[in-house]
Amino acid sequence: MPRQSLQEILAGIDSLDMELIERTFEFGAKAHEGQKRKSGDDYIWHGVEVVRILVDLNLFDSVSIASALIHDVVEDTGYPLSDIKNEFGDEITGIVDGLTKISRMDGYVYRSAQDEQVDNYRKLILSMARDIRVILIKFADRLHNMRTLFALNEEKKRRIARETLDIYAPLAHRFGIALIRWELEDLSFKYLEPEKYKKLAKTVQTKRGAREQLIDLFKEPLQKAINEAGIEAEVSGRPKHLYSIHKKMERRG
């Protein structure tokens, strides 16, 4: 159940205004009642999954979480923005309005991958998002949409993947949100070049054990030296994500 999942996601975060979040959940569930996503899920699940991503980003802000739960109401239902303002006030209304304006541009302003046009579109998005929370919720919204892209037809998959790779992944990089950027890039790569993606994923998985051994080989002496120096730190390593490997292979032929 969406409500139960939301409660589990937010469990233990004592700073939240749960009364506000509960009211926005009810509002969103009612507004989207009967609507299904292409994946077959009830629409309210999308808002809950966007909240999950925000929590993963450590965005424990009641207004952000409340806004995420109703961010598609104006765009995808018959409810006007004035209803949200009457129910939840100016702050949430401003965030939802910013997200609605950006959503209405997606797939409309963006027509090609020309560098100047892409950069202008990024600037346009940033200029419309007067509240930083608009951008953060938009990243979470786009990431969940990319995670469920399999349900769309091929033309939409490619359009949304291209837009994500050219617009939203670089913006996430600019904001320093590496985990969002990496997943957006890998998912875009998966739908734009499926054969290359599958081949590379299989190769990387095959060599996973050797790669982890190499990381451990470097970690151990570094950790020992740091400990002996009296520095409190933890050494960790990660494999490059697939799109990054792909781009490096292209650059090096």
Side-chain angles (χ1 to χ4, degrees), residues 220-235:
E220 291 172 11
L222 282 171
Q223 188 70 63
K224 183 180 178 182
I226 287 171
N227 293 344
E228 289 173 351
I231 299 170
E232 195 171 313
E234 180 181 346
V235 179

Side-chain angles (χ1 to χ4, degrees), residues 82-134:
S82 58
D83 283 359
I84 293 176
K85 185 172 182 177
N86 291 336
E87 206 52 53
F88 303 109
D90 291 337
E91 191 174 12
I92 288 176
T93 301
I95 293 174
V96 172
D97 186 37
L99 288 160
T100 301
K101 288 174 179 174
I102 292 173
S103 290
R104 286 175 176 169
M105 290 195 307
D106 285 344
Y108 177 73
V109 176
Y110 184 80
R111 286 288 181 267
S112 74
Q114 295 174 0
D115 289 344
E116 184 178 356
Q117 184 177 358
V118 167
D119 192 49
N120 286 338
Y121 188 26
R122 292 191 201 118
K123 290 175 182 176
L124 183 59
I125 290 173
L126 292 174
S127 71
M128 294 175 67
R130 296 174 183 172
D131 189 322
I132 185 64
R133 291 172 294 188
V134 173

